[in-house]
Each structure stands twice: as structure tokens, then as C-alpha cells.
């Protein structure tokens, strides 16, 4: 027994007391029969007697709402939850203890701020899915003796585990149900998940003994004294945790897919099998998720992009370099026009800068030191030996535009917008449709302003983002404010005063706009705080879109100045903002959100005219001409097909309006209107139809704040 803690009785230390940590402990009472104290995780014994409860250390637990409760030292988050309500105890999955996520069963030894995490909390879900990764690994170990494990993290949706099943063994899709069945058995066994600290030496010995060389490699990089393992049943994993108390928390499991993954992402190392899975606390949630996956497959922007002829990739042009086809270009141009219009209203000025820049530009900006090695390599001029880089971002160019004239405080804020195409190297394995590309166009702008103007500018950018989300039907979005780590101020550039002002400006701007934003301390870039927007699409998936970022670094590096009212030189503040992020990414999100059924004002082809027979092809062409006068994008389907077939084919192309024309329509200058979704609106005068359509488009193209 260790005298590792001091027990206090009546405010006086009791030196001959022993503190017994966690576990069952027997104390004999006066009648000499043992009493079992199993609920107590830490308690004190003096002269073989349990010391009066009052004599334990009590600790103060502060909850997120600011309330404080006292608990015995060594209390666990699960016990805290139980003390509040049985229901909470059933729902809680992990706990945030002083900002760190902990197991529910880990004793809390000191005063702490505790947030009980549930399924709805990202960290709660994370612990749940991470425990599920262990569960899958345990099942695999039983099914594939000799299997070796790499890493098995939780991801945004579920988890994966990288495994090496051994020479000649493959895990196929047909094996997934067997793995799931084994996982369910281990769930039924309700195995405890137990955390244990272990010395580096012992950890190496333990995992070498099992020939787990991937784990041994990981252990060798860890610092002694920080290493923990988690054990459930016969499975022990090297792991930082946190985890669920036992396997029975997991109710529904699905092994989703497998893929090849190089150990540590290095193609010179062995290729492992990455098994993806997902789990839920309710069967119903799993069913909903699987349904959503089916729907997501149908909405995959790569598939719809091909069907609607929006964009393409050519291996000859190069991977990750999208080719915008005429219809996709139509769509993109509409979006750009829409943004340009809003920007004009908010007093932005358009600029255009080249696709490359001198290497020195990026040395000055700091990008070269940070990203140079992992980016496209410099382009050399044949004669002068100059070095140019493909533009990875527009900001340095815009700083140089700022510097072309001496600026006064009267010129600020200066808002510079550019649909700037940038190039960033991505590994070929990372490329994905329009969402991960090597060349893309940002809907970029930089606002140069005085520190006093930051809040006002933030309010305006938030307005712009609101208008855009509303117009494009992204009603469901979240925002996150990323601030400095208050305990680590040295790592940030810029004066304390400016930081405080900017952080306050962001928080206040969000409050004034009624935007409930999550505040994350320590998530700010070293050069300034930021506000990020995530939208939820029609399937409930989250996409990171717009960012507003304050920057003190580039104005410093480029020595930007303005003359203040005091006639002195001052540094402006720079704000980067891109509501869409990039046109490519945004179009991908829009395709998946709408399943390719774009709103009328964005649809590349807004109407298709379907003559019932060849005889009316000429009239159909006249209709197109008339619609064009109203700036409506229309075309004729004059294939020699039955009209029913033409309707079906064009419906598949998600055309908003099909206009059927025959004898009656030709005689009366009319069209027979069939709206997307199969609603027949009957015969309408052509001119009336065109005017109405133009009005609808016009309204959408000119959204105002009042509409939101
Ligand atoms: Zn783990
Ligand atoms: Zn920028």
C-alpha cells in the first residue's frame, strides 16, 4: 500500500492513513463480516477502518452552465452523470475534463470543469466510433489469427482500421457480414474496456511479443510516461483513448467498404487493408444512414456532372484539372454573375492578376517557406534564370495591388475581388471529382481596412454569406469562430490590442446577426482569428464552405501602410473572404444538394421545346428565338422520336420546363407547358410565358437583404 495521498480529517492531516485506489475492497466491520465497497473508487483507510466520509478530499466540479457541485475525489464522469439523472447516465458517452476528452470511468482527482458528452456532441460520437474501431479490430483478431494492426481512428462518419491480414489473405466484401456478426457477439458479451498506463519498455515488449511491428513502430515514437493501452476481452490496443466503458453501448454495426492504404501514407511502405465501418446507438439510425448513403450515391456530383455534361477530366490535360463543358460553364458563369452583382452592391472592386508569380513574391508572403516543398515546383525562364511559381493563392498579388499607390485612411476599406484561379499540388490518390482538384478558382476577395473597421466589414461579409445561402437554398448552416489560445499568446503574430479588438468584433458581429456560432479557443491561425461556415446539404451532410479570416501577417510582411488622420503611417488589417471557397467545390456541393435539379435561374438549359412532329420544327425554332430575346436559355429537341420519349429523356436531364408544340400551339403563338416534376400547366401564350419566366429569373438574380 502506498502513502501517496494525504488524507485530511477535521482539517488536519492524518499521516498514517492509506488511500486505496479503484476496485473492490473489503473492510471488516465490528461483527467481523466483510463489507464490500464497490461503488467507491478511492477511499481512505486508517487503522484498517474506513475513515468517515467527511474526511476525504472533496473536489469541485464546474459544469458548462457555470454551476458547481462537490464530489468525492476520484469520482468518475459516469458517477457524476448518475448523480444528476439516470437518463443522463445512460446517454453519456465520454466527458470533457478541463478541455480534454476522458473515459467515463477515469477517476477525476482534482477540481475540474466537466462537460458530459453525448451522441449529439462531436467528441462523444468520436469516442463512440473510436471504441467501435477497437470492436471491429477485436472481431478481426478472432476471425483472422495473426492479423496485424496499423491505426484505427474515428472519422467524420464512422471509423476505419488499417490492417495487415497476412500473406495471401484478403478481406472481401462477402466477409463483411461475418465480421459484423462477430462484432455483435462481442457486444452481447458486454466486455469492459479498461485503460492502463504502461511503460515504454513494457509496451514494446508486449507488442513485440505478438509480432505487432506496426504498433512497435508507433510506440518507439512515443514518450515514456504517456503511453496507455485499452483492453477488452482478449484484445489490447495501444491507444490514447478515450473509450466507452464497455462494448454494450454499441447497438448497430455495419462494415462499409475496404480500400488499400499504404502504411503511414508512404507508398514505399507495405500496403494495408483499410476497413471502413460505422456504428450507432440505435438500429433506426443505422437504417437511416444506409438510406442516405444510397441517395448520396445517386447524387454523386461526378456521376451527375457526366450525365448533365457539366465538366470532364482528361488524362492528357492532367489529373485534377477540371475541364468545364459548355453547360457547366453556363452554370458557373451564372454563379459568378450573381456574386459579382452582390459584390458591386457592397462596393467591391474587381481586379485580375496573373496565374503565376515570381518566387520572391511567395518568399515575402511566407508561403514558399511553408508550402514550397510540397507544391508545384518553380517554372524557370530559359534566358534570365528567373523562377516563377503557379499561383497557390491570390493574396500576395492583391497586396502588391494595394502597394501601387500610397493609401490614406480615406481610401479604406478597400475591397478587392477576383475570381482568381490557383494551383495547389495534391497527391493523385487524394484527388476527387471537383472537391479535391489541382487547379481551382476561388471567389476570392481581400478587404484592407483600419483596425476600427474590422467589425463593420465582418458584418457586411456575414450579410453577403446570408444572401448567398438563402438564394441557393442552404437554409441549414453552422458557424464556428476560431479564437486564440488564451494560455499561449506568444505563438500569435500581431498586437494583443488588435487581437482583442478583432476577436470581440467577430463575436459581436455574430451576435448582432443572430448567428449562433460555436467558439473554439486555440483554433485561430497564427496570423488572426476567423469565422467559418459549414452548410448542411439536403442529405444532412456537412460541407465546409465560406471563410472570413482576419490577417495581421501579410500586411506586416508586405509592409502595407496607410496614412492616418494623425498624418502618421499605420498598418492596415487584411480580411480574406471567400463565401463559396472555390467555384469547383461549390458546384460539386450544389450538384449533390440539388441532385442536379438546379433552380431555374441557374439551370444551364432552362427550357427544351418538343415539337410533336417534324412539321412543327420551324415553329419550335421560332419559340427558341423568342425566348432568347428574354435571355432565356432554350433549345429544340428535334430528334425523330415520339414526344413521350422526348419528355422522358429531357426529364432525366433535369430541365426545368418542357414546352410541347403542335398544331394548336403553332396556330395560337402558344406553348404547352410541362414543369419539372411532371406538372402540366396547359397551353400558355408564348409571350406571357417568356415574360413570367424572365421575371422569376430576374428576382432570383437580384436578391436583397430584405428577402432574407
Ligand atoms: Zn484506439
Ligand atoms: Zn487571401
Amino acid at each position: 500500500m502506498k502513502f501517496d495521498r494525504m488524507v485530511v480529517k477535521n482539517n488536519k492531516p492524518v499521516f498514517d492513513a492509506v488511500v486505496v485506489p479503484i476496485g473492490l475492497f473489503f473492510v471488516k466491520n465490528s461483527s467481523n463480516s466483510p463489507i464490500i465497497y464497490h461503488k467507491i473508487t478511492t477511499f481512505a483507510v486508517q487503522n484498517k477502518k474506513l475513515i468517515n466520509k467527511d474526511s476525504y478530499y472533496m473536489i469541485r466540479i464546474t459544469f458548462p452552465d457555470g454551476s458547481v457541485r462537490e464530489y468525492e475525489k476520484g469520482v468518475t464522469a459516469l458517477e457524476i452523470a448518475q448523480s444528476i439523472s439516470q437518463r443522463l447516465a445512460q446517454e453519456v458517452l465520454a466527458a470533457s475534463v478541463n478541455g480534454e476528452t476522458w473515459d467515463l470511468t477515469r477517476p477525476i482527482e482534482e477540481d475540474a470543469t466537466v462537460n458530459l458528452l453525448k451522441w449529439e456532441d462531436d467528441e462523444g460520437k468520436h469516442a463512440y466510433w473510436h471504441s467501435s474501431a477497437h470492436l471491429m479490430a477485436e472481431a478481426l483478431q478472432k476471425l483472422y489469427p495473426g492479423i496485424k494492426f496499423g491505426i484505427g481512428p474515428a472519422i467524420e462518419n464512422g471509423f476505419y482500421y488499417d490492417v495487415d491480414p497476412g500473406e495471401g489473405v484478403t478481406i472481401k466484401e462477402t466477409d463483411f457480414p461475418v465480421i459484423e456478426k462477430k462484432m455483435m457477439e462481442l457486444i452481447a458479451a458486454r466486455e469492459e474496456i479498461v485503460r492502463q498506463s504502461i511503460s515504454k519498455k513494457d509496451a514494446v515488449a508486449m507488442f513485440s511479443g505478438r509480432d505487432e511491428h506496426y504498433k512497435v513502430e508507433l510506440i518507439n515514437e512515443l514518450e515514456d510516461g504517456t503511453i496507455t493501452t485499452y483492453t477488452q476481452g482478449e484484445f489490447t490496443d495501444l491507444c490514447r483513448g478515450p473509450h466507452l466503458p464497455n462494448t454494450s453501448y454499441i447497438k448497430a454495426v455495419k462494415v462499409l467498404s475496404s480500400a488499400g492504404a499504404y502504411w503511414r501514407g508512404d507508398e514505399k511502405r507495405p500496403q494495408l487493408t483499410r476497413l471502413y465501418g460505422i456504428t450507432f446507438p440505435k438500429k433506426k439510425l443505422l437504417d437511416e444512414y444506409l438510406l442516405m448513403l444510397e441517395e448520396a450515391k445517386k447524387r454523386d456530383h461526378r456521376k451527375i456532372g457526366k450525365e448533365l455534361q457539366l465538366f470532364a477530366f482528361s488524362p492528357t490535360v492532367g489529373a485534377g484539372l477540371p475541364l468545364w463543358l459548355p453547360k457547366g460553364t453556363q452554370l458557373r458563369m451564372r454563379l459568378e454573375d450573381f456574386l459579382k452583382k452582390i459584390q458591386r452592391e457592397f462596393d467591391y472592386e474587381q481586379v485580375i492578376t496573373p496565374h503565376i508569380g515570381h518566387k520572391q513574391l511567395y518568399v515575402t508572403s511566407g508561403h514558399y517557406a511553408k508550402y514550397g516543398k510540397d507544391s508545384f515546383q518553380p517554372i524557370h525562364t530559359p534566358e534570365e534564370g528567373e523562377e516563377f511559381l503557379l499561383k497557390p493563392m491570390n493574396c500576395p498579388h492583391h497586396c502588391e495591388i494595394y502597394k501601387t499607390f500610397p493609401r490614406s485612411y480615406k481610401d479604406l476599406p478597400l475591397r478587392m475581388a477576383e475570381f482568381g484561379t490557383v494551383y495547389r499540388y495534391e497527391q493523385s490518390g487524394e484527388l476527387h471529382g471537383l472537391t479535391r482538384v489541382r487547379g481551382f478558382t476561388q471567389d476570392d476577395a481581400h478587404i484592407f481596412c483600419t483596425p476600427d473597421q474590422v467589425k463593420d466589414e465582418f458584418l457586411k461579409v456575414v450579410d453577403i454569406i446570408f444572401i448567398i445561402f438563402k438564394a441557393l437554398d442552404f437554409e441549414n448552416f453552422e458557424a464556428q469562430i476560431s479564437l486564440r489560445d488564451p494560455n499561449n499568446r506568444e505563438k500569435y503574430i500581431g498586437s494583443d490590442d488588435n487581437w482583442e479588438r478583432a476577436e470581440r468584433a467577430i463575436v459581436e458581429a455574430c451576435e448582432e446577426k443572430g448567428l449562433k456560432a460555436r467558439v473554439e479557443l486555440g483554433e485561430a491561425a497564427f496570423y488572426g482569428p476567423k469565422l467559418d461556415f459549414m452548410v448542411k446539404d439536403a442529405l444532412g451532410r456537412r460541407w465546409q464552405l465560406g471563410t472570413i479570416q482576419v490577417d495581421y501577417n501579410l500586411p506586416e510582411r508586405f509592409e502595407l501602410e496607410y496614412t492616418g488622420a494623425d498624418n502618421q503611417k499605420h498598418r492596415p488589417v487584411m480580411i480574406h473572404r471567400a463565401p463559396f471557397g472555390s467555384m469547383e467545390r461549390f458546384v460539386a456541393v450544389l450538384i449533390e444538394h440539388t441532385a442536379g435539379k438546379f433552380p431555374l435561374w441557374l439551370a444551364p438549359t432552362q427550357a427544351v421545346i418538343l415539337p410533336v412532329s417534324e412539321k412543327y420544327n420551324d415553329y419550335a425554332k421560332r419559340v427558341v428565338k423568342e425566348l432568347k430575346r428574354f435571355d432565356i436559355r432554350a433549345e429544340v429537341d428535334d430528334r425523330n422520336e415520339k414526344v413521350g420519349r422526348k419528355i422522358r429523356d429531357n426529364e432525366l436531364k433535369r430541365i426545368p420546363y418542357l414546352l410541347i408544340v403542335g398544331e394548336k400551339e403553332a396556330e395560337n403563338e402558344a406553348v404547352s407547358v410541362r414543369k419539372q416534376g411532371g406538372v402540366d400547366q396547359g397551353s400558355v401564350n408564348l409571350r406571357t410565358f417568356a415574360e413570367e419566366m424572365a421575371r422569376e429569373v430576374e428576382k432570383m438574380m437580384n436578391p436583397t437583404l430584405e428577402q432574407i
Side-chain angles (χ1 to χ4, degrees):
M1 285 191 179
K2 282 191 296 179
F3 289 78
D4 59 346
R5 259 162 287 188
M6 189 184 289
V7 176
V8 178
K9 186 171 186 173
N10 299 332
N11 288 327
K12 289 196 188 86
V14 179
F15 293 103
D16 59 343
V18 180
V19 177
V20 182
I22 314 178
L24 288 183
F25 192 77
F26 300 88
V27 178
K28 300 220 166 141
N29 65 10
S30 49
S31 65
N32 229 12
S33 54
I35 304 167
I36 305 171
Y37 295 92
H38 25 190
K39 288 230 166 129
I40 303 169
T41 50
T42 303
F43 58 93
V45 188
Q46 186 179 18
N47 300 331
K48 293 197 179 166
K49 277 198 185 114
L50 198 69
I51 295 174
N52 168 329
K53 185 170 176 283
D54 297 341
S55 62
Y56 310 154
Y57 266 148
M58 295 301 275
I59 54 171
R60 290 162 61 80
I61 300 295
T62 310
F63 295 97
D65 64 358
S67 64
V68 178
R69 285 187 185 212
E70 286 210 336
Y71 290 93
E72 283 167 26
K73 180 173 167 154
V75 69
T76 67
L78 187 58
E79 287 162 347
I80 293 174
Q82 276 158 353
S83 78
I84 298 169
S85 85
Q86 214 28 256
R87 185 174 174 167
L88 180 63
Q90 278 166 10
E91 288 179 347
V92 70
L93 301 174
S96 156
V97 178
N98 293 331
E100 218 179 280
T101 319
W102 277 30
D103 303 325
L104 284 181
T105 49
R106 184 164 162 192
I108 302 168
E109 306 285 354
E110 286 163 8
D111 290 356
T113 303
V114 170
N115 186 10
L116 298 169
L117 302 167
K118 301 197 280 189
W119 177 255
E120 294 73 37
D121 300 296
D122 285 348
E123 301 95 325
K125 231 178 236 158
H126 195 273
Y128 193 93
W129 280 335
H130 187 78
S131 300
S132 305
H134 281 219
L135 177 71
M136 183 172 76
E138 188 188 4
L140 290 168
Q141 194 174 51
K142 290 203 182 304
L143 295 167
Y144 301 87
I147 191 170
K148 306 277 179 283
F149 295 100
I151 53 161
I155 52 178
E156 198 190 341
N157 287 301
F159 56 89
Y160 68 77
Y161 220 119
D162 285 348
V163 299
D164 179 351
E167 202 59 47
V169 185
T170 50
I171 302 174
K172 297 182 294 292
E173 210 173 319
T174 46
D175 302 325
F176 294 175
V178 182
I179 301 169
E180 288 161 9
K181 191 163 162 263
K182 185 55 83 185
M183 287 168 81
M184 291 309 288
E185 278 172 37
L186 298 168
I187 289 169
R190 206 191 152 87
E191 291 175 339
E192 300 291 318
I193 303 175
V194 183
R195 177 179 194 267
Q196 207 158 23
S197 289
I198 186 169
S199 73
K200 190 164 179 172
K201 200 168 128 252
D202 288 350
V204 170
M206 175 192 277
F207 286 95
S208 312
R210 297 193 213 142
D211 213 15
E212 289 269 17
H213 50 272
Y214 301 109
K215 294 287 181 191
V216 174
E217 185 178 329
L218 295 175
I219 296 165
N220 280 326
E221 290 164 19
L222 295 174
E223 225 168 278
D224 202 2
T226 63
I227 304 171
T228 50
T229 60
Y230 280 80
T231 301
Q232 60 197 67
E234 289 160 14
F235 175 76
T236 297
D237 205 347
L238 166 76
C239 185
R240 231 176 333 183
H243 284 287
L244 301 169
N246 64 63
T247 54
S248 78
Y249 278 67
I250 300 163
K251 305 289 185 203
V253 306
K254 186 83 191 165
V255 180
L256 293 168
S257 59
S258 68
Y262 291 108
W263 172 234
R264 317 205 85 170
D266 182 348
E267 56 201 65
K268 291 181 205 84
R269 310 290 307 267
Q271 195 178 44
L272 305 181
T273 303
R274 177 167 295 177
L275 273 184
Y276 289 94
I278 198 159
T279 54
F280 290 94
K282 281 193 190 110
K283 170 84 167 53
K284 189 172 146 257
L285 291 175
L286 174 62
D287 293 342
E288 281 169 13
Y289 181 76
L290 294 177
L291 210 67
M292 190 278 287
L293 277 191
E294 277 303 303
E295 187 56 27
K297 236 184 245 167
K298 285 187 224 150
R299 288 171 179 241
D300 189 323
H301 74 276
R302 294 168 301 175
K303 178 173 160 277
I304 294 179
K306 202 180 267 174
E307 283 166 13
L308 301 187
Q309 301 177 2
L310 299 174
F311 59 89
F313 290 92
S314 143
T316 316
V317 171
L321 298 170
L323 301 171
W324 289 84
L325 305 181
K327 293 215 187 306
T329 305
Q330 268 292 357
L331 173 66
R332 173 171 156 171
M333 273 169 39
R334 294 284 138 175
L335 287 167
E336 289 187 4
D337 289 348
F338 169 69
L339 285 179
K340 278 182 190 162
K341 215 164 202 168
I342 298 173
Q343 285 170 1
R344 266 202 303 279
E345 242 163 76
F346 280 83
D347 297 322
Y348 284 67
E349 290 174 295
Q350 288 286 331
V351 296
I352 298 172
T353 63
H355 287 233
I356 61 173
H358 203 283
K359 181 178 155 190
Q360 188 53 44
L361 184 67
Y362 303 104
V363 171
T364 302
S365 72
H367 292 118
Y368 187 74
K370 202 152 186 219
Y371 304 111
K373 267 211 290 306
D374 303 317
S375 202
F376 286 115
Q377 293 309 292
I379 304 161
H380 299 263
T381 57
E383 295 292 332
E384 302 83 347
E386 292 171 298
E387 288 185 294
F388 290 89
L389 285 172
L390 282 169
K391 178 165 75 174
M393 53 258 301
N394 304 300
C395 346
H397 286 81
H398 291 186
C399 286
E400 287 299 316
I401 293 183
Y402 182 94
K403 285 174 84 169
T404 49
F405 300 106
R407 307 285 181 177
S408 129
Y409 70 99
K410 291 181 194 151
D411 302 326
L412 305 185
L414 194 69
R415 307 180 189 93
M416 233 179 258
E418 176 175 17
F419 286 93
T421 304
V422 297
Y423 301 89
R424 294 182 192 169
Y425 170 71
E426 298 273 359
Q427 287 183 358
S428 51
E430 300 287 318
L431 298 171
H432 182 91
L434 288 183
T435 53
R436 281 295 276 277
V437 284
R438 285 174 170 172
F440 55 94
T441 302
Q442 296 178 303
D443 55 325
D444 209 1
H446 295 98
I447 300 163
F448 300 89
C449 64
T450 69
D452 288 338
Q453 292 167 334
V454 170
K455 181 177 167 188
D456 246 13
E457 289 309 304
F458 244 84
L459 283 168
K460 286 187 181 131
V461 180
V462 171
D463 276 344
I464 291 180
I465 290 176
F466 278 8
I467 291 174
I468 291 168
F469 285 177
K470 168 84 182 169
L472 292 159
D473 201 22
F474 286 106
E475 304 280 348
N476 206 337
F477 57 88
E478 295 166 3
Q480 179 183 314
I481 302 173
S482 299
L483 304 180
R484 264 192 310 187
D485 177 354
N487 301 318
N488 200 355
R489 296 196 165 179
E490 318 74 63
K491 73 175 203 191
Y492 302 95
I493 176 174
S495 74
D496 260 357
D497 185 40
N498 277 345
W499 267 88
E500 266 154 35
R501 228 179 328 179
E503 292 191 336
R504 214 175 324 119
I506 299 176
V507 172
E508 285 175 11
C510 288
E511 273 169 14
E512 278 177 38
K513 289 288 160 197
L515 180 66
K516 279 197 202 74
R518 198 173 57 213
V519 176
E520 292 287 346
L521 298 179
E523 287 290 302
F526 75 92
Y527 51 86
K530 65 173 176 169
L531 176 63
D532 285 311
F533 287 87
M534 311 264 283
V535 296
K536 263 197 186 161
D537 71 9
L539 299 184
R541 295 171 301 172
R542 283 194 279 187
W543 302 83
Q544 151 94 55
L545 286 182
T547 296
I548 320 176
Q549 167 84 60
V550 179
D551 186 352
Y552 299 111
N553 181 41
L554 284 186
E556 196 69 40
R557 286 180 165 270
F558 281 90
E559 299 176 344
L560 306 185
E561 287 178 342
Y562 66 90
T563 309
D566 57 2
N567 233 350
Q568 302 292 310
K569 297 281 185 210
H570 299 274
R571 275 269 180 273
V573 182
M574 193 169 171
I575 299 173
H576 311 250
R577 46 110 278 177
F580 283 180
S582 82
M583 300 310 292
E584 284 73 9
R585 185 176 168 76
F586 187 77
V587 165
V589 175
L590 190 66
I591 292 172
E592 302 209 358
H593 181 51
T594 59
K597 289 181 192 146
F598 303 114
L600 180 66
W601 64 287
L602 282 177
T605 306
Q606 296 167 312
V608 172
I609 328 301
L610 312 178
V612 296
S613 78
E614 265 175 61
K615 258 168 61 189
Y616 306 103
N617 283 357
D618 284 345
Y619 175 63
K621 279 179 198 145
R622 270 202 6 252
V623 172
V624 170
K625 221 172 174 182
E626 177 71 5
L627 293 177
K628 258 197 186 137
R629 291 202 313 123
F630 288 85
D631 213 13
I632 292 162
R633 301 179 291 279
E635 54 194 54
V636 181
D637 182 351
D638 56 7
R639 290 174 306 155
N640 198 5
E641 294 283 356
K642 290 235 159 57
V643 74
R645 170 77 191 268
K646 287 187 190 178
I647 290 175
R648 272 199 308 283
D649 289 351
N650 284 289
E651 272 176 347
L652 282 178
K653 290 186 190 158
R654 287 101 160 153
I655 307 292
Y657 284 103
L658 301 182
L659 307 177
I660 299 142
V661 295
E663 189 177 353
K664 204 170 82 199
E665 285 77 17
E667 263 172 24
N668 301 319
E669 283 285 306
V671 288
S672 186
V673 181
R674 187 182 167 90
K675 206 175 170 176
Q676 192 174 55
V679 187
D680 277 316
Q681 299 184 327
S683 189
V684 181
N685 175 276
L686 175 58
R687 170 64 73 87
T688 314
F689 174 78
E691 280 170 358
E692 259 171 37
M693 212 166 150
R695 241 194 321 271
E696 197 181 331
V697 171
E698 175 70 13
K699 200 172 89 200
M700 286 310 295
M701 284 294 288
N702 291 289
T704 59
L705 261 182
E706 287 71 55
Q707 283 174 18
I708 65 175

